[in-house]
Amino acid sequence: MIRLTDVHKSFGENAVLRGVDLHVPRDESMVVIGGSGTGKSVLIKSVLGLVTPERGTITVDGRPVDQGDRDAFLARFGMLFQGAALFDSLPVWQNVAFRLLRGALRRPRDEARAIAIEKLRRVGLGPDVADRLPAELSGGMQKRVGLARAIAAEPEIIFFDEPTTGLDPIMAGVINDLIREIVSEMGATAITITHDMTSARAIADRVAMLHGGKIRWTGPVADLDASGDPYVEQFIHGRADGPIKAVR
Amino acid sequence: MIGAALASVGGAVLALLAALGRLTLFTGQTLSHLLRPPFYGREFALALVQIGYFSLPVVGLTALFTGGALALQIYAGGARFSAEAVVPQIVAIGMVRELGPVLVGLMIAARVTSSIAAEIATMKVTEQIDALVTLSTHPMKYLTLPRVLAATLVMPLLVGVGDVIGIFGGYLVGTERLGFNAAAYIRNTADFLEPLDIVSSLVKGAAFGFIAALMGCYYGMHSNRGAMGVGRATKSSVVAAAVLILAANFILTEAFFSA
Ligand SMILES: Nc1ncnc2c1ncn2[C@@H]1O[C@H](COP(=O)(O)OP(=O)(O)OP(=O)(O)O)[C@@H](O)[C@H]1O
Ligand SMILES: [Mg+2]
């Protein structure tokens, strides 16, 4: 359903994506792994049009993402940003219910609040945080509010940028289960970026590894341990020596 | 040698034209959202309160002291031609035509432009603007339009208040320090001011409000990354707003009063 073909993106001299080809089938959970700074966040932002690639095509359901009605296009997506990106002037529940309080998906305020509190519960946050401001929460709590916001309007396609970084192992487990549940029960298509291999194994149907501006390897999660690719081997076992250099 | 000098002048001119082009485009985009639903009423109301209501104290104080000082200066200057009696008239015309709108405009540039620029720039560097987009909300519609519209509509009111308080400052000094008769001071002021003076004052207010909010939004939206980016955006927005307000003031004065 999401297809990237020969996508290039550089920032000045820094060529980040150098010909990325990737296909994410409908209703599947794709996990993207890769070293810090290899362009994983840039990759998903270019699907959403937040970053414009210099070359290559990105299509969703066969339609180029830069054509057609942008509002209708974005309405299908949910996104958790790496830094949560909560609106700091709005209380937590209004962040979560942002989409439900305005525009095409608008609901009555009480209903929007009830949905927000339910979504907060699903990411392990109690109703007492609903009226706090984002700045009053810890980093991991902010991340979970961002997650609740991403899933609040039940989008068909969801991007999670490092959903479990900064969470304790138990909470990370809760979030892994939640993402898995969203894909299998709500029938969503997901792309998750993570460095956490436990999380990757728990969430993924397929895994893709980004390295050197290209997709180095992609395959079903079951093949991850037998990929035969020295880069993937080094990455999943976290070895210091191997083809991937420590200083990049 | 001459070539290099010419090239640098040419480069600067090109950069200026490019900036002008970007600004024009930005203005056009902002205004185009006026015609396309939805309209974010809540954001607009908040901006009205932030820009209008909370600016009243600073506007009042600025105008009060300026009106008072103006009265003292006109009295001292007028005394050289034995024309002390013109204090009420000149205070009125000076406040309403020039000082009211300009000083209120500059105070708004300091208070409102800077805070808009810092807020939007911070939202940009923390990816909140990107988040808005992914939540199907156009940042220009949600952030820029309500602020620009609110500033344009509320600034004539602020300038009006500033004019009245400025004249009142002159009146206080005139009657308490300079020995003017209270009733005569008010009568002279009222008789002397013409509708055009007041209209020009309010039109200037609207124009300066538009400039102040637009500059805050423009520099905020084009901020670079990091804390330094936010700082630079804030500084540039205030400088640009102040200079443009003074330039616009000259153009509007020319348009209203040179005949
Ligand atoms: N807006 C931008 N302007 C300039 N350079 C950028 C911008 N966004 C990303 N980059 C650069 O692109 C490269 C990839 O960044 P990206 O955020 O995609 O990395 P990442 O793979 O998500 O890393 P991490 O795992 O640490 O989050 C980095 O070198 C970064 O400096
Ligand atoms: Mg990243």
Side-chain angles (χ1 to χ4, degrees), chain A residues 45 48 50 70 74-75 81 85-88 90 98-99 102 149, chain B residues 40 42-43 123 126-128 130-137 142:
Chain A
K45 281 185 192 169
L48 287 167
L50 299 173
R70 188 136 170 83
L74 287 169
F81 284 83
L86 301 178
F87 305 122
D88 33 36
L90 299 177
F98 193 87
R99 252 207 171 122
R102 43 183 76 68
R149 182 174 72 182
Chain B
Y40 295 117
R42 227 183 96 79
E43 307 308 314
M123 290 185 74
T126 55
E127 297 185 317
Q128 292 179 53
D130 284 345
L132 273 180
V133 174
T134 66
L135 294 166
S136 313
T137 304
Y142 183 74

Side-chain angles (χ1 to χ4, degrees), chain B residues 8 13 17 48 55 74 77 84 97 100 107 117 139 141 143 146 220 223 230 234 239 241 243-244 248 253 255:
Chain B
S8 81
V13 170
L17 288 179
L48 275 184
S55 296
I74 293 165
E84 300 91 334
R97 284 187 176 190
M107 291 317 282
K141 195 188 280 301
L143 297 171
S223 160
V230 177
T234 309
V239 171
V243 171
L244 282 180
T253 299

Side-chain angles (χ1 to χ4, degrees), chain A residues 217-236:
Chain A
W217 180 84
T218 179
V221 65
D223 297 354
L224 188 62
D225 290 309
S227 65
D229 184 301
Y231 290 78
V232 176
E233 295 275 305
Q234 186 193 349
F235 192 87
I236 64 177

Side-chain angles (χ1 to χ4, degrees), chain B:
Chain B
M1 189 60 200
I2 293 175
L6 278 180
S8 81
V9 170
V13 170
L14 283 183
L16 186 71
L17 288 179
L20 213 63
R22 275 199 302 275
L23 187 59
T24 311
L25 212 62
F26 188 83
T27 312
Q29 278 171 1
T30 303
L31 295 180
S32 76
H33 282 289
L34 204 52
L35 308 173
R36 282 181 283 161
F39 178 73
Y40 295 117
R42 227 183 96 79
E43 307 308 314
F44 175 66
L46 278 175
L48 275 184
V49 173
Q50 274 297 333
I51 298 170
Y53 184 72
F54 288 121
S55 296
L56 279 173
V58 61
V59 163
L61 287 173
T62 309
L64 188 72
F65 290 126
T66 307
L70 196 59
L72 290 176
Q73 286 289 10
I74 293 165
Y75 189 83
R80 298 186 199 164
F81 319 91
S82 337
E84 300 91 334
V86 296
V87 168
Q89 289 90 332
I90 305 292
V91 167
I93 210 169
M95 273 321 292
V96 172
R97 284 187 176 190
E98 291 295 327
L99 290 176
V102 168
L103 288 177
V104 172
L106 293 178
M107 291 317 282
I108 292 300
R111 190 182 171 277
V112 173
T113 307
S114 60
S115 85
I116 291 177
E119 183 184 359
I120 294 182
T122 307
M123 290 185 74
K124 172 134 194 234
V125 304
T126 55
E127 297 185 317
Q128 292 179 53
I129 306 271
D130 284 345
L132 273 180
V133 174
T134 66
L135 294 166
S136 313
T137 304
H138 202 296
M140 299 279 270
K141 195 188 280 301
Y142 183 74
L143 297 171
T144 307
L145 182 67
R147 286 166 173 76
V148 171
L149 200 60
T152 310
L153 294 178
V154 85
M155 263 291 274
L157 286 176
L158 284 177
V159 168
V161 169
D163 290 348
V164 170
I165 294 180
I167 290 172
F168 177 68
Y171 165 88
L172 277 185
V173 170
T175 53
E176 299 296 320
R177 289 278 314 278
L178 308 173
F180 280 85
N181 172 281
Y185 192 105
I186 292 173
R187 187 163 10 86
N188 280 337
T189 302
D191 287 350
F192 194 74
L193 278 180
E194 291 188 6
L196 182 66
D197 297 328
I198 293 161
V199 169
S200 79
S201 194
L202 303 186
V203 169
K204 281 181 175 182
F208 301 167
F210 180 78
I211 291 171
L214 190 74
M215 288 300 114
C217 295
Y218 176 79
Y219 281 95
M221 289 284 186
H222 291 91
S223 160
N224 287 323
R225 310 174 95 192
M228 216 151 88
V230 177
R232 193 170 304 147
T234 309
K235 179 192 70 186
S236 308
S237 73
V238 175
V239 171
V243 171
L244 282 180
I245 283 172
L246 293 172
N249 180 57
F250 175 74
I251 292 168
L252 287 172
T253 299
E254 175 88 19
F256 273 107
F257 299 109
S258 79

Side-chain angles (χ1 to χ4, degrees), chain A residues 136-147:
Chain A
E136 297 164 4
L137 305 181
S138 76
M141 288 164 92
Q142 291 183 11
K143 200 66 181 258
R144 287 184 281 151
V145 174
L147 189 61

Side-chain angles (χ1 to χ4, degrees), chain A residues 41 82 161-162:
Chain A
S41 298
Q82 189 168 357
D161 198 342
E162 306 197 5

